[in-house]
Structure formats: structure tokens, C-alpha cells
């Protein structure tokens, strides 16, 4: 029996070996075919992969700022954007017979200026390559095994892009590292701008502790075995994520490596070829920010909230509940200032799912009996957003473990007192004390973790003296100068200079 068992084991190993060899040969042949089918490499092209560039969010603004920085640093290079087309731009392009790509490129450049105030210095050197499969990466398409399915979809999207144009430098700005190995195979210099990791130690810890959240549903967190299986799935995915992420010759991240020298949120991105770790490259606020308006001249209804996108992880429900609690606190106290306030929710809606979230938020406002004091404004242009920030007093941010938080920077630049979540980038890098004129540390905003803490902060901001608010606003505005457009351009170009130096002159 022992001999028979050994024969069975040996036979199984030989069969597994044959299967492994067959798969390896098939993969090698497939890669050779892909390399043969790919178009000729364009030596003067820097390409950005950002499949969905129509959200109006902070990530999209970083994309346009990066494109502008490359154009300014390498004026002879052609900059290509792989992306889906907004419906208005797509319709405009189709209406212009024969102009095709040129009209699309100009339309998107114009849109960048309208939405973000980002003007491309050399629009004639800008090309748009439309991606038809961009919608495949939407998480709504994959209710189960979302990360794995999105990763597979991103490979299909990246393959489509690289079969249309092979650049000298390939930059992923959408968190899609699974296409980087193919880009390297085709001879591209590769870079990645990581807004936040696809998988993080925080996510693993939540599954391990069986904490229910938007990305860990109650039917999983409520079961020990389901949680263990999901934890195994996450660990396997984290390994794969780290493996493909190592194909980026340069990786830029939205965090300060000095304040978080061993960030737990970076899985597999610690040991990259050009540096001992990922390079910090903070997003940039709108140029100059809105003009700082003295609090004595702010609107009589001051509580104003500004955010970038309507997404589940942004926890907008907490904002409504906190505002309702703040109104109750004001009603039951001797100070009635907060009763004059209103909450204005401003953001970008990408699709039907986002509009449904807005409707759900409106229903929540009704149930909290604050609907008459809440206003929803969707997909506003840059100028209108700037006016809203100019008139605001309080800015709310409620996302847990946000990697950075560019909306908070916008608050502070505009003199709006930020009340941000006490986690991630906001707590470590943004809403931090700064040295004042007297040499003492001065607060730059508030941090909160629960609806009650947010409510307390809102009431405090609205009831302290105008002089105290102006002092905090001035300190905050001074603090965020480090997030200027100039600082971003320098950081981005310095990080990618070794890659950009390999662009062929034309």
C-alpha cells in the first residue's frame, strides 16, 4: 500500500509538472503573440492610463496637473491619454466629420480648464486615445470578488490601450498596476501614481476583526469561516498586487514618508528599483485657491460642505447625521448661532449609481427632519466651486482611512475650517498643527471619528469668536502652501526624470 501511495503521489507530481510546463509554454507563446501584434513603439510619447476621466474628482485633477507638468518639462514630447470619453465630448467629436481625435483632444483640454482650472501649455501636443472597455473596471459590475475581477478587467483595458499605441513612457494614474508587466514587456518605461492602494493592511485588519463596512458586508463579517476565506483571498491578492506593482520603475504616493516611515497601507510597494520606497508626491490644490474672505463678511448661513465625488466610502450619511445633531445641540443651548447654518453638499456624479446615492441622501435628510436646511449641488464647474468655498465656514470630511484628502486642502486654502476624519492622510499629513507667528504650535482644523464628535466640532466652529476662527483659518492656509501646483510639478518631474530623459527628441 505504501508503494502504491508513493506511485500515486509521484504520478500526481508528474501530472502537475506537465500542466505547469504546458501553462508556462502557453503563457510564453501568448506574450510573444502580443508583442508581435503590438504597434511600433513611439519613442517621443508619454502616455497616461486613466480609463475614466470624467468624474470631476481629485484623482482626475492630479491627472491633468501631471499632463501639464510633463508638457512644460518636455515641450517636444507628445502626451497621450488613454481614457473613456464623456458623453458630451464623444457627441461633439462625432458631430465633427473627419476631425476625430484632434477635436476630442481639444474638447477634453477645454474641459480640464473648466472643471479644474488646469490649462495645458501645449494642447497641440496632446492626443486622446479612446478606450471602449473602460466601463469594465467599474466595481458595480463585480458584486463578488470585486478586486480580482477589476484586476482582470484592468488587464483587458490596458491591453486595448497598448494595442493602439505603445509609448516610450507609460504612467498609470488610476490604480491599475496589473497592466504594468505587459507595458514593460513592450519596452515601455513604467511609472505609477498611487492615490490609494487597491489592497491595504487596514482592509485586512477589518476583515480579520470582522468589522462590517462598505467593503466588508455583514453577511461576510457575521461569519467566522466566511471572514477567514476572505482574509485568505485578500492575502493572495495582496501578494499579486505587490508582484505587479514592482513592475513600476517609479511609484509615487500621496503620503509623507517622514510622518509615516513604515506606512501600513502600502502593500508590496516598498522595494522599487529607483528608490528604497515609493516617492511622496502630494496632489495639488486649485491654483491659488479661492480668495480668503474675512469671517465678518461670510454669509449668514455658514455651514458649507464641499466634496469631490458621490461614493459609498465617503460616508456622506455621517455628515447629515452630524449636522442634525449640531442643530439639536444649538437648539438646546444658549448659543443659537448654528441654527442659522445650512449644509450644502457639492460633488461629482459619474453614473446612475451615484445619482441613486444622492437620492438616498435626500431621503435620509428628510427622515432626519433637516431637508429644509440641506442643499445638493452636482457636477459644478470650477468657478462655481470656488464661489462656494469662498462663502463657506465649515468643511466636512468623513471618509475613514483616506490616503490623502485633496478636498480638505481646498477647504484650508479657502479659509474654511476643516473638520476631517481622524485617520489616514488627513490626520497624519494635512490637519496638523503649524508653527504660528509667536513660535507656538497653532491648530489648523478639527479631527473627529463619530457623528457626535463631528457635531461638537461644527458647533464649536460656529460659536467661537470671529477672531479665533480667522486665526485658525490663517494658520491652515499657511500650512497648505506645501501643496501648491509648483510643489506638485517639481515633485512629479523629479520622480519621473529618469524615465522622461529616455524620450526621443523630435
Amino acid at each position: 500500500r505504501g508503494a502504491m501511495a508513493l506511485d500515486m503521489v509521484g504520478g500526481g507530481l508528474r501530472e502537475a509538472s506537465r500542466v505547469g510546463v504546458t501553462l508556462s509554454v502557453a503563457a510564453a507563446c501568448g506574450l510573444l503573440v502580443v508583442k508581435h501584434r503590438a504597434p511600433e513603439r513611439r519613442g517621443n510619447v508619454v502616455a497616461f492610463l486613466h480609463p475614466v476621466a470624467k468624474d470631476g474628482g481629485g484623482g482626475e485633477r492630479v491627472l491633468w496637473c501631471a499632463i501639464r507638468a510633463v508638457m512644460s518639462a518636455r515641450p517636444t514630447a507628445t502626451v497621450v491619454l488613454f481614457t473613456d470619453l464623456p458623453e458630451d465630448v464623444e457627441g461633439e467629436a462625432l458631430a465633427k466629420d473627419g476631425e476625430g481625435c484632434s477635436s476630442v483632444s481639444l474638447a477634453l483640454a477645454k474641459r480640464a480648464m473648466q472643471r479644474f482650472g488646469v490649462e495645458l501649455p501645449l494642447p497641440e501636443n496632446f492626443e486622446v486615445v479612446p478606450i471602449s472597455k473602460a466601463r469594465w473596471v467599474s466595481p458595480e459590475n463585480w458584486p463578488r470578488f470585486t478586486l480580482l475581477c477589476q484586476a482582470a478587467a484592468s488587464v483587458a483595458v490596458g491591453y486595448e490601450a497598448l494595442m493602439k499605441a505603445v509609448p516610450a513612457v507609460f504612467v498609470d494614474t488610476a490604480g491599475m498596476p496589473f497592466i504594468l508587466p505587459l507595458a514593460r514587456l513592450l519596452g515601455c518605461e513604467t511609472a505609477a501614481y498611487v492615490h490609494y492602494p487597491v489592497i491595504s493592511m487596514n482592509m485586512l485588519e477589518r476583515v480579520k476583526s470582522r468589522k462590517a463596512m462598505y467593503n466588508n458586508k455583514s453577511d461576510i463579517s457575521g461569519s467566522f469561516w466566511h471572514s477567514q476565506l476572505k482574509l485568505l483571498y485578500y492575502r493572495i491578492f495582496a501578494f499579486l498586487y505587490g508582484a505587479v506593482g514592482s513592475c513600476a520603475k517609479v511609484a509615487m504616493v500621496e503620503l509623507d514618508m517622514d510622518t509615516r516611515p513604515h506606512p501600513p497601507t502600502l502593500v508590496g510597494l516598498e522595494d522599487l528599483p529607483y528608490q528604497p520606497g515609493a516617492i511622496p508626491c502630494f496632489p495639488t490644490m486649485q491654483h491659488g485657491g479661492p480668495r480668503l474672505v474675512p469671517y465678518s463678511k461670510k454669509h449668514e448661513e455658514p455651514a458649507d460642505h464641499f466634496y469631490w465625488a458621490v461614493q459609498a466610502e465617503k460616508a456622506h450619511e455621517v455628515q447629515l447625521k452630524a449636522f442634525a445633531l449640531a442643530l439639536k445641540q444649538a437648539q438646546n443651548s444658549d448659543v443659537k448661532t448654528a441654527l442659522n447654518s445650512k449644509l450644502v453638499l457639492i460633488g461629482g456624479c459619474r453614473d446612475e449609481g451615484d445619482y441613486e446615492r444622492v437620492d438616498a441622501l435626500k431621503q435620509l435628510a428628510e427622515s432626519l427632519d433637516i431637508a429644509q436646511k440641506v442643499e445638493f449641488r452636482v457636477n459644478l464647474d470650477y468657478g462655481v466651486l470656488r464661489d462656494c468655498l469662498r462663502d463657506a465656514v465649515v468643511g466636512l470630511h468623513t471618509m475613514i482611512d483616506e490616503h490623502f484628502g485633496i478636498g480638505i486642502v481646498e477647504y484650508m486654502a479657502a479659509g474654511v475650517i476643516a473638520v476631517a476624519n481622524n485617520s489616514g492622510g488627513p490626520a497624519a499629513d494635512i490637519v496638523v498643527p503649524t508653527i504660528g507667528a509667536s513660535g507656538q504650535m497653532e491648530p489648523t482644523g478639527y479631527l473627529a471619528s463619530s457623528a457626535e464628535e463631528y457635531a461638537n466640532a461644527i458647533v464649536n466652529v460656529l460659536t467661537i469668536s470671529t477672531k479665533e476662527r480667522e486665526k485658525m483659518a490663517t494658520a491652515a492656509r499657511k500650512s497648505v502652501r506645501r501643496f501648491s501646483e509648483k510643489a506638485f510639478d517639481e515633485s512629479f518631474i523629479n520622480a519621473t526624470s529618469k524615465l522622461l530623459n529616455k524620450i526621443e527628441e523630435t
Side-chain angles (χ1 to χ4, degrees), residues 64 71 79 81 85 88-90 92-93 96 99-114 118-129:
W64 291 111
M71 284 185 173
V79 178
L81 173 61
L85 298 181
D88 55 339
V89 173
E90 189 172 23
E92 181 180 338
K96 296 184 177 182
E99 292 187 37
C101 187
S102 175
S103 64
V104 169
S105 302
L106 292 175
L108 281 182
K110 180 180 178 182
R111 191 172 183 272
M113 182 62 188
Q114 292 174 337
V118 177
E119 183 176 7
L120 301 186
L122 298 168
E124 65 274 13
N125 292 352
F126 178 55
E127 295 180 15
V128 173
V129 176

Side-chain angles (χ1 to χ4, degrees), residues 191-245:
Y193 189 99
V194 185
H195 294 280
Y196 53 87
V198 175
I199 183 78
S200 69
M201 293 304 298
N202 291 330
M203 293 168 64
L204 270 68
E205 285 299 321
R206 288 196 194 101
V207 175
K208 187 177 180 179
S209 63
R210 297 172 59 185
K211 182 178 181 180
M213 284 191 68
Y214 63 89
N215 58 356
N216 191 35
K217 296 181 180 179
S218 57
D219 58 339
I220 299 293
S221 63
S223 167
F224 172 80
W225 291 110
H226 286 172
S227 295
Q228 292 303 307
L229 289 173
K230 184 169 183 177
L231 191 60
L232 177 62
Y233 161 54
Y234 269 15
R235 284 173 174 161
I236 293 173
F237 186 85
F239 172 79
L240 296 174
Y241 181 66
V244 297

Side-chain angles (χ1 to χ4, degrees), residues 52 119 162 185 224-225 311 347 392 457 472:
V52 182
E119 183 176 7
L162 290 170
L185 176 71
F224 172 80
W225 291 110
Q311 298 167 345
M472 183 178 291

Side-chain angles (χ1 to χ4, degrees), residues 51-88:
V52 182
K54 56 185 178 183
D55 293 353
E60 188 179 337
R61 186 169 201 281
V62 168
L63 165 71
W64 291 111
C65 289
I67 290 175
R68 181 189 58 196
V70 170
M71 284 185 173
S72 299
R74 298 293 187 275
T76 61
T78 297
V79 178
V80 167
L81 173 61
F82 297 120
T83 190
D84 189 13
L85 298 181
E87 292 181 3
D88 55 339

Side-chain angles (χ1 to χ4, degrees), residues 304-502:
D304 211 340
H305 166 225
F306 172 84
Y307 61 80
W308 287 109
V310 183
Q311 298 167 345
E313 64 269 23
K314 299 296 184 181
H316 303 305
E317 297 84 358
V318 176
Q319 297 153 9
L320 291 170
K321 293 175 182 177
F323 184 61
L325 287 173
L327 292 177
K328 284 185 179 180
Q329 286 186 25
Q331 185 68 50
N332 298 329
S333 70
D334 295 331
V335 183
K336 308 294 185 182
T337 308
L339 292 176
N340 296 326
S341 64
K342 67 176 179 179
L343 179 66
V344 182
L345 299 172
I346 304 173
C349 283
R350 306 161 296 179
D351 50 34
E352 185 177 342
D354 284 347
Y355 283 103
E356 289 175 356
R357 290 187 186 94
V358 172
D359 290 337
L361 291 171
K362 290 179 179 179
Q363 292 176 15
L364 178 59
E366 289 282 355
S367 67
L368 294 171
D369 197 27
I370 58 172
Q372 70 279 8
K373 285 184 168 291
V374 178
E375 182 181 349
F376 293 85
R377 307 185 70 182
V378 175
N379 295 338
L380 302 182
D381 286 340
Y382 167 60
V384 181
L385 294 177
R386 184 176 55 190
D387 291 341
C388 290
L389 281 175
R390 182 193 63 201
D391 296 333
V393 171
V394 182
L396 300 180
H397 164 275
T398 47
M399 180 177 173
I400 297 174
D401 291 330
E402 175 131 41
H403 208 44
F404 185 67
I406 190 63
I408 304 168
V409 176
E410 295 288 351
Y411 292 150
M412 296 165 73
V416 179
I417 304 299
V419 182
N421 193 269
N422 192 12
S423 66
D429 301 324
I430 304 177
V431 188
V432 294
T434 188
I435 300 176
S438 62
Q440 301 295 317
M441 300 303 291
E442 296 180 351
T444 57
Y446 294 78
L447 294 170
S449 298
S450 64
E452 291 75 15
E453 290 180 8
Y454 278 99
N456 292 338
I458 291 171
V459 172
N460 194 52
V461 174
L462 297 178
T463 54
I464 60 177
S465 68
T466 298
K467 184 177 181 180
E468 288 180 277
R469 282 202 300 261
E470 288 184 338
K471 182 179 179 181
M472 183 178 291
T474 301
R477 193 173 175 90
K478 175 184 176 183
S479 173
V480 297
R481 288 175 184 169
R482 56 202 163 106
F483 305 125
S484 67
E485 292 187 336
K486 180 181 179 182
F488 173 84
D489 290 356
E490 291 177 352
S491 296
F492 189 89
I493 296 303
N494 288 339
T496 57
S497 59
K498 292 183 180 180
L499 309 184
L500 297 176
N501 288 341
K502 298 182 181 181

